[in-house]
Amino acid sequence: MRTIFITSFHGLISRVLQSGILDFLQEKKDLRIVILVPDFKKDYFLEKFGKRENVIIEGIDDKVLLRRAYIFHKLSFVLLDTKTMRLTRRSFRGYKHSYEIIMAQFIASFFGRWKFVRNIFRKINYYFSGKPVFASYFDKYKPALVFSADIKHVLDTQLVIEAKKRKIFTIGMVRSWDYLTGKGMVRVVPDKMIVHNETIKKEAIKYVDMMEENVFVSGLPHFDPYINEKRKSKEIFFKKIGVNYDKRLLLYIPWGDKFADTDWQFLRMICDAIENGRLPSNLQVLMRMPPGDTVNLEKLKQYKEVVIDSPGVVFGERGRKANEMSYDDLLHLADLLHYSEVVVAPPSTLAIDAAAFDRPVVLMAFDGENKKKYYEGVGHYYDFDHISNLVKIGGQKLARNKKELIDYINDYLKNPSLDKESRKRVVNEQCWKLDGKSSQRVADFILFFLSR
């Protein structure tokens, strides 16, 4: 029996594995799958995966990592020279002092732009990564292949480094569309990399220094249930989420406290427009909490008509960043998008999910009731690499003031087919193939190299 290591250290990974990858891998009966997870989530993973044949769950405490691992991780952000990183460094979420911005950008543009400098950094990281913290797991299971489902994660990086030192084949996967342009430099180059679409493939070649033949395009595995699973009936689902069956549904995706404190203002604009007749009176609003962030609900108490939906599995007193997005949460989101008539969102990946259901999206491209400077507000987000790629395709409306916000919602409610062709282009470019077979492609790719 051969063994494969699979990582699931980030809260968005388990739903990807459950979307079909594990099922297809398990069709190979002589394969043992060891899933490495955060130690505090081990019981959760045992409940979800522990009863599967030849699947073992191992909990890893992130305290096993040396401090240098986190130092290398922070340095990876300084060395990535992309438009997203340049904008972030100058924004309110970046450096506080001008000299820090200048120094960081100088390092990124002067050093990070060169492939040989990136490779030197990776070699230093490789040889000075510290003690082999995963040694006991490698010795115990003797894996034939390591599949890092989140190649940039600090624990994934350490695991892949140790696998390479043991001459074990490694496959890495990107986690999201902003992964290679906004999450720092990839510190260890896997033997093969799996990406969602051709755009990210080009980014893998440019920023990860992958050879083209070593990058495999799979599509989005966690979109497979959008195609393969049936939706709940409207009556059952609306009863579940506590909304009126006879009213139309507007899905509001909040900014979250990490990015802006204006969600209450946007909701007030929408609710007031419903009340004064600028939006249809039979429109109701559901706000889906961000899986890994908080929203200040104190100012929302006055809007009793807004229904709050909170996805994610909570782990004690840990913050929402530690939440695990389950497969059930994924199906719930699919039902939400299926029955929503319009989606109001920040520049979020939910715009791609909505396009998969051919749902119109209005993007909030202004700072609510406030007037903020470019780097202090939300305006610069729309110039991020991954967002600008989406906006160029079209398929959504950018509301730059209150009037446009209400007008665009009305336009889409009156004519849902507006921008339909552009939404198809979003699906083609961002999803690559929306055929329900991405998980199978990933599993087949892994099994091919496992059998060599």
Side-chain angles (χ1 to χ4, degrees):
M1 180 171 289
R2 308 196 80 188
T3 299
I4 177 176
F5 280 178
I6 298 179
T7 62
S8 187
F9 295 122
H10 191 279
L12 296 178
I13 300 299
S14 65
R15 63 175 185 166
V16 177
L17 301 180
Q18 282 186 282
S19 295
I21 292 176
L22 280 182
D23 293 329
F24 291 115
L25 288 177
Q26 284 192 281
E27 290 180 1
K28 188 173 177 59
K29 299 301 182 184
D30 61 344
L31 177 63
R32 178 173 60 178
I33 301 169
V34 179
I35 305 177
L36 306 175
V37 306
D39 191 54
F40 68 91
K41 293 182 179 180
K42 184 176 180 179
D43 289 341
Y44 169 81
F45 276 86
L46 283 171
E47 178 186 343
K48 294 294 181 182
F49 302 105
K51 295 178 182 178
R52 287 174 174 257
E53 186 177 0
N54 295 334
V55 172
I56 298 170
I57 307 298
E58 287 284 1
I60 309 296
D61 188 343
D62 62 0
K63 294 184 178 62
V64 299
L65 291 177
L66 297 176
R67 186 184 175 199
R68 72 183 70 175
Y70 295 99
I71 293 175
F72 280 123
H73 182 67
K74 288 184 178 180
L75 285 173
S76 73
F77 283 82
V78 180
L79 284 170
L80 182 61
D81 187 28
T82 63
K83 188 173 184 180
T84 298
M85 293 304 302
R86 290 193 290 272
L87 291 170
T88 300
R89 291 179 187 117
R90 297 187 64 180
S91 75
F92 67 92
R93 295 192 301 121
Y95 297 101
K96 304 302 179 187
H97 304 287
S98 296
Y99 72 88
E100 293 176 315
I101 298 172
I102 295 171
M103 181 63 69
Q105 191 50 50
F106 172 78
I107 294 173
S109 58
F110 190 77
F111 294 104
R113 65 185 295 187
W114 300 108
K115 180 178 178 179
F116 80 92
V117 174
R118 295 193 295 268
N119 286 336
I120 289 173
F121 172 74
R122 292 185 180 113
K123 285 183 182 296
I124 294 172
N125 190 176
Y126 179 86
Y127 288 110
F128 294 94
S129 57
K131 63 181 181 179
V133 296
F134 290 99
S136 61
Y137 301 99
F138 279 104
D139 294 340
K140 180 179 180 180
Y141 295 109
K142 296 179 174 53
L145 186 146
V146 170
F147 174 45
S148 166
D150 185 3
I151 190 63
K152 277 191 180 182
H153 194 282
V154 66
L155 284 168
D156 283 73
T157 298
Q158 189 71 23
L159 179 73
V160 174
I161 286 175
E162 292 184 27
K164 282 183 163 291
K165 288 181 178 180
R166 291 171 179 258
K167 310 299 182 186
I168 297 171
F169 197 83
T170 57
I171 298 176
M173 187 167 71
V174 300
R175 175 166 51 80
S176 60
W177 64 331
D178 60 342
Y179 202 70
L180 300 183
T181 57
K183 304 292 185 183
M185 193 183 88
V186 173
R187 291 188 287 132
V188 56
V189 178
D191 295 305
K192 301 289 179 178
M193 179 174 281
I194 300 173
V195 299
H196 299 151
N197 55 51
E198 292 290 344
T199 299
I200 302 178
K201 179 178 180 177
K202 293 176 183 177
E203 292 170 351
I205 295 169
K206 182 176 182 179
Y207 299 116
V208 190
D209 305 307
M210 298 289 299
M211 299 292 290
E212 183 176 2
E213 60 267 26
N214 292 330
V215 184
F216 176 72
V217 179
S218 67
L220 287 153
H222 63 283
F223 276 28
D224 285 355
Y226 292 171
I227 304 298
N228 300 331
E229 297 273 11
K230 291 183 178 180
R231 307 278 74 84
K232 285 186 174 67
S233 72
K234 181 178 179 181
E235 183 179 5
I236 291 174
F237 184 66
F238 272 36
K239 184 176 181 180
K240 175 187 175 183
I241 61 178
V243 298
N244 191 327
Y245 179 84
D246 296 319
K247 288 189 174 185
R248 306 164 81 180
L249 185 63
L250 180 150
L251 176 59
Y252 179 84
I253 308 299
W255 285 95
D257 295 333
K258 179 181 177 181
F259 298 101
D261 182 26
T262 53
D263 285 310
W264 65 277
Q265 296 177 9
F266 283 106
L267 285 168
R268 181 165 69 184
M269 294 176 194
I270 295 170
C271 291
D272 285 352
I274 296 172
E275 186 175 341
N276 62 32
R278 290 194 61 209
L279 285 174
S281 59
N282 66 342
L283 188 66
Q284 57 191 334
V285 181
L286 181 141
M287 181 179 79
R288 180 182 183 268
M289 292 283 284
D293 195 9
T294 58
V295 176
N296 187 346
L297 299 177
E298 191 64 33
K299 296 179 180 178
L300 297 178
K301 290 181 179 179
Q302 56 185 306
Y303 308 114
K304 293 182 171 56
E305 62 270 38
V306 176
V307 176
I308 308 296
D309 188 68
S310 297
V313 179
V314 180
F315 293 86
E317 297 299 318
R318 296 176 184 268
R320 289 189 62 82
K321 196 72 175 175
N323 281 8
E324 194 72 25
M325 285 296 293
S326 70
Y327 188 70
D328 289 337
D329 288 317
L330 183 60
L331 298 181
H332 183 81
L333 174 60
D335 289 333
L336 266 179
L337 291 167
H338 179 71
Y339 289 113
S340 296
E341 296 197 29
V342 64
V343 179
V344 175
S348 160
T349 184
L350 259 296
I352 302 174
D353 295 71
F357 286 88
D358 192 26
R359 291 298 174 263
V361 177
V362 179
L363 294 174
M364 297 175 283
F366 64 106
D367 295 296
E369 298 171 354
N370 308 308
K371 184 74 173 177
K372 293 185 178 181
K373 295 180 180 178
Y374 179 71
Y375 290 108
E376 295 174 359
V378 303
H380 69 282
Y381 292 138
Y382 287 89
D383 291 323
F384 282 2
D385 293 287
H386 61 292
I387 300 298
S388 61
N389 287 338
L390 178 72
V391 172
K392 286 175 186 176
I393 301 170
Q396 62 294 129
K397 301 290 189 185
L398 265 68
R400 300 191 182 277
N401 54 57
K402 177 181 176 180
K403 182 181 183 303
E404 288 186 353
L405 175 68
I406 304 305
D407 286 347
Y408 290 153
I409 294 173
N410 265 320
D411 290 343
Y412 279 138
L413 289 173
K414 292 174 183 176
N415 185 4
S417 64
L418 280 175
D419 300 318
K420 185 181 184 69
E421 292 304 314
S422 295
R423 288 193 290 276
K424 287 181 180 179
R425 290 197 294 272
V426 169
V427 171
N428 290 335
E429 294 195 24
Q430 295 292 332
C431 303
W432 189 61
K433 287 183 180 179
L434 190 61
D435 58 1
K437 297 180 180 179
S438 295
S439 296
Q440 184 170 1
R441 285 189 283 270
V442 171
D444 288 346
F445 186 76
I446 294 170
L447 291 173
F448 173 79
F449 288 101
L450 188 66
S451 63
R452 291 178 63 181

